[in-house]
Amino acid sequence: MISDRVSADQTSTFPRFLDLAYPNIESAEGVWLSTTRGAKILDACSGGAMVSNLGHGAPDIVQAGARQAERIAYFYMDHFTNEPQEELAALLVAVAAPEMARVRFGSSGSEANETALRLARAYHVDRGEPARWRVISPAQAYHGSTMATLALSGRKHTLQEPYTPYLSHHLHIAPSTWRFDVTGEAALRELDQRLEEAGPETIAAFFCEPVSGAALPAYSSPDKFWLGLHQRREKHGFLICFDEVVTGMGRVGSWFAYQQLPIEPDIVTIGKGLGAGYAPISAVLCKQHVYDAVERGSRFFDLGHTWDGAPISCATGLAVLNAMIDQRLIERVRERGPRLLEQLQAALHGNPIVAEVRGRGFLLGIDLVDLPEEMHADERVEDIALGRGLLVTTTHSTQDGYAGDEVVFAPAFTSSDGELDMMIERLAATLGDVASR
Ligand SMILES: Cc1ncc(COP(=O)(O)O)c(C=O)c1O
């Protein structure tokens, strides 16, 4: 019998944190997780990683995967294609991302971002510019845990160490937050400096989240920055890759976050919400001109992963996309989001440890004031929240100096108004407790 809380000395798994006893989750329905001890936890972060956007246990999605598994669950897309893959790609570019032309599927967000990197590189090589390989990106970011995607972040202390010997040397700029540059002008100046130092003819891409997920929840650069970035792309010929692993598939109230900004990417990635926790599936989408470069050049974009475009994952992704259309979930997030932000701001008003409350759609973030490192405010928030029956996620990137402690509040799109109210109540009580301690 496995116990209700599993610590490192009681398990054959290799846990992430060896000093943590992990509660054992048995089942879930909607936004309620049940532990083996019978405790109920209200899930205010879509499975903890902004994935389960349709809540847990959605019967239509489960059945779509099961029906596909009965026909055929898996084969390798190097040899064949299949109807769910074809249909999902067609529906994505017809409905969700009409600005894009082609889709390549993968399983995880890291895989999608690595594929985006390879595609940016292939684009330049196929157009006769092999010197372009370097990437510029905002430092306060997370794009995945593979060596190539880890190198895209500038968070040396909190993410990259001790793996730095394996990481390519890319270039970074500070984010335009209140800490550095509220207007976006300093970030553009830094971008110009990086271009100058490296030589613009060596730059393959600018890589970033258009609206940040966990690294700076719900933060987006000022429009001035996006407009300036677009001008520099026109002038210098690099590509813009957007990581929408968190924000893609409706999280901020539009299918893609870039659809709310004055800029479009050449390449964009999605992950988490595409399978919504029912299958591991991600995708890279690109514009026609990116595809054309490969079509007119080498005519292949090889390398991939065993599960790319597998029938069971694509059938599940297709069911998720159809559920979002049928249940009008983009509209729900767009319409309910502003009030959710107002509710959260009102509930946290006057709390001395809250510096800023941000939000777009169902992606909300709380920036805590800078607290002493040894307080581990992030861990306290998660522990106290769990004690109050609430799941939220935090980040602690203080050591790198680009941001402090952040709390992510990202409920499922299917949460009822009553459940949203209860999540806010529990979160406000949690942060009240942290402040008073
Ligand atoms: C913005 C962003 N990009 C990429 C990833 C990596 O996705 P995965 O963990 O599925 O590889 C994450 C994961 O949290 C993420 O938040």
Side-chain angles (χ1 to χ4, degrees), residues 172 385 390:
H172 303 288
L390 182 75

Side-chain angles (χ1 to χ4, degrees), residues 108-110 113 142-144 209 243 245-246 272:
S108 69
S110 305
N113 284 338
Y142 177 69
H143 296 293
E209 287 181 280
D243 172 349
V245 166
V246 169
K272 302 174 184 272

